[in-house]
Amino acid sequence: MQNLLPIREAYFSKGMNDRVKPELLDVGYCADALNCFLEKEKITIRTGYTAVGNDQNIDKPTLGMGAMELANGNKYVYEVRDDSTSTNAHLRYWSGSGNWTALTSPTALTASLTCEFVSSTNATYVFNGTDAVHKITTGATDSTVAAIPLGKYGKWFHQFMFVAGVATNPNRLYFSNINAPDTWTAADYIDVNADDGDIITGLEILKDELLVFKKNRVWSLTGFGTGTFTLANLNERISGFGATSQRSLVNIGDDVLYMSFRGGIPHIRSIQRTRFGTLVDGGIISGNIEATMDSISKTALNTCAAGFDGRRVWFAVANSGSGTNNLVLVKDVIGQKLEDGWTRHTGINASVFLTFAISSQQHLYFGEAGNDVQVYRFDGATSDNGTAISFQYISRKFTPAIER
């Protein structure tokens, strides 16, 4: 009779690796990690989430989320969604307790358009590329600013409001007067390699540079005034990759991560700032989950949404066959190599993420992408708003040793 020796795995928190067969995985990797976190050689079921505010009984996807803390200390979370008939979209706020409330004297937005929120100078601005930009000032009061270009994206950078994604000039980066996001001069813009067959897809900040993403290239803008703004084409120094969408861009400290698609498989890539202050291509960081990346919907990459909770970065994507985000890929950035630390999560159908401290503690929020739509907050709950969390960990395969 053969006696099988016990198998003990002391190191198992490198995360998923579906690029190779389970029997070929190196020590530390697993074949699957579903709805769990891996840290310090410990496997734990992920924390759940709870709905915030009231159920508005409007089963429409969340079109955008933002937040603002005023100088007086008042805090607000905002969301945009269509009305029940998708005639218009409306802005609502939540102040940390009670129900969602429509903004005072709101002007309706065009239905079904993705909205991006930008905060600056004690106000929050809402962009959708079509409607006059909305400005929220006292937390619950809404107005419009006709002077701001009708862009899809905005960023407050070095005391200027930058806007891109204007339909009539898709390669143009506009900027406001200094410290005056409502005041614009007609000649204040930069054409980012116009007529190159590409378009600007998003803006993100990394240290002292504004990154301007196109589908196939990435540029950076530096400087502290109109006379010193300069553009440097990062891709001439690194490689020819860009981002699929604004919401796939996420700053995690010394890196900006983004969804890119060039070739047959989408990948999450990185732009890093070195300790010497130079921006470099961090390369592909999703290589270990290449099979999973290959299975996501290639036609819905523009819906990818990313968020960062201070330890983990979350990418919501649509699985093949789905038109909305129904899978979240999570990477632990603490104590892991940039390509390691991946887990996958279901039950989180996020169209947008938001990190904000409505009270004393910062939390990750998300707006639903599908039906039965609400806004949720990861708050340490043991279920997903009352639904049990399905948890699974599949180790690498072992060849048992036989005691002789």
Side-chain angles (χ1 to χ4, degrees), residues 80 90 102-103 118 130 320 330 379 401:
V80 182
H90 299 277
L103 272 70
V118 181
T130 297
S320 180
V330 175
D379 55 3

Side-chain angles (χ1 to χ4, degrees), residues 96-392:
S97 63
N99 295 338
W100 290 95
T101 306
L103 272 70
T104 303
S105 302
T107 302
L109 293 156
T110 301
S112 304
L113 295 180
T114 297
C115 296
E116 301 296 335
F117 289 71
V118 181
S119 293
S120 70
T121 61
N122 223 33
T124 293
Y125 296 81
V126 185
F127 297 82
N128 68 5
T130 297
D131 301 310
V133 175
H134 283 230
K135 179 181 180 181
I136 307 167
T137 51
T138 62
T141 301
D142 175 34
S143 62
T144 57
V145 184
I148 300 177
L150 302 183
K152 294 180 180 179
Y153 336 108
K155 278 291 177 185
W156 182 246
F157 174 71
H158 287 176
Q159 309 305 311
F160 292 85
M161 178 69 81
F162 286 86
V163 173
V166 175
T168 53
N169 290 291
N171 289 297
R172 183 165 290 179
L173 182 66
Y174 299 83
F175 53 90
S176 69
N177 288 190
I178 189 168
N179 281 321
D182 294 358
T183 305
W184 296 72
T185 301
D188 285 349
Y189 62 83
I190 300 171
D191 284 325
V192 184
N193 207 31
D195 303 320
D196 63 354
D198 209 344
I199 60 172
I200 296 175
T201 56
L203 307 173
E204 188 52 90
I205 297 167
L206 184 57
K207 304 301 183 183
D208 278 332
E209 299 192 33
L210 177 67
L211 298 178
V212 183
F213 287 82
K214 291 189 171 187
K215 289 183 177 180
N216 300 300
R217 308 182 78 174
V218 185
W219 303 69
S220 71
L221 179 131
T222 59
F224 287 84
T226 56
T228 59
F229 287 149
T230 60
L231 276 173
N233 181 357
L234 294 185
N235 286 329
E236 288 183 349
R237 301 202 308 266
I238 48 177
S239 56
F241 296 91
T244 59
S245 67
Q246 170 69 38
R247 287 188 182 168
S248 79
L249 312 177
V250 58
N251 186 317
I252 63 169
D254 285 327
D255 301 78
V256 166
L257 308 184
Y258 61 99
M259 179 70 76
S260 183
F261 186 36
R262 190 165 187 176
I265 301 176
H267 283 292
I268 298 168
R269 301 183 64 91
S270 166
I271 293 178
Q272 297 177 327
R273 178 163 178 162
T274 70
R275 63 178 181 172
F276 304 108
T278 304
L279 294 188
V280 298
D281 179 16
I284 293 172
I285 68 165
S286 59
N288 287 347
I289 54 170
E290 192 167 87
T292 298
M293 298 300 297
D294 193 28
S295 71
I296 67 178
S297 174
K298 313 298 191 299
T299 59
L301 294 176
N302 63 316
T303 69
C304 174
F308 183 52
D309 63 12
R311 170 161 193 153
R312 298 178 180 90
V313 58
W314 305 61
F315 283 89
V317 294
N319 247 330
S320 180
S322 174
T324 58
N325 294 340
N326 60 354
L327 174 68
V328 176
L329 305 172
V330 175
K331 177 187 160 33
D332 192 339
V333 303
I334 304 296
Q336 298 276 11
K337 293 181 179 179
L338 198 56
E339 67 272 18
D340 290 344
W342 287 103
T343 56
R344 67 183 184 96
H345 302 260
T346 56
I348 307 168
N349 304 322
S351 65
V352 58
F353 288 104
L354 169 71
T355 303
F356 188 63
I358 195 75
S359 55
S360 59
Q361 183 177 353
Q362 194 172 71
H363 288 95
L364 183 69
Y365 296 76
F366 72 92
E368 264 272 0
N371 293 324
D372 191 22
V373 178
Q374 291 182 257
V375 172
Y376 300 96
R377 177 174 62 190
F378 287 97
D379 55 3
T382 56
S383 69
D384 288 344
N385 203 43
T387 300
I389 300 171
S390 177
F391 157 71
Q392 173 179 272

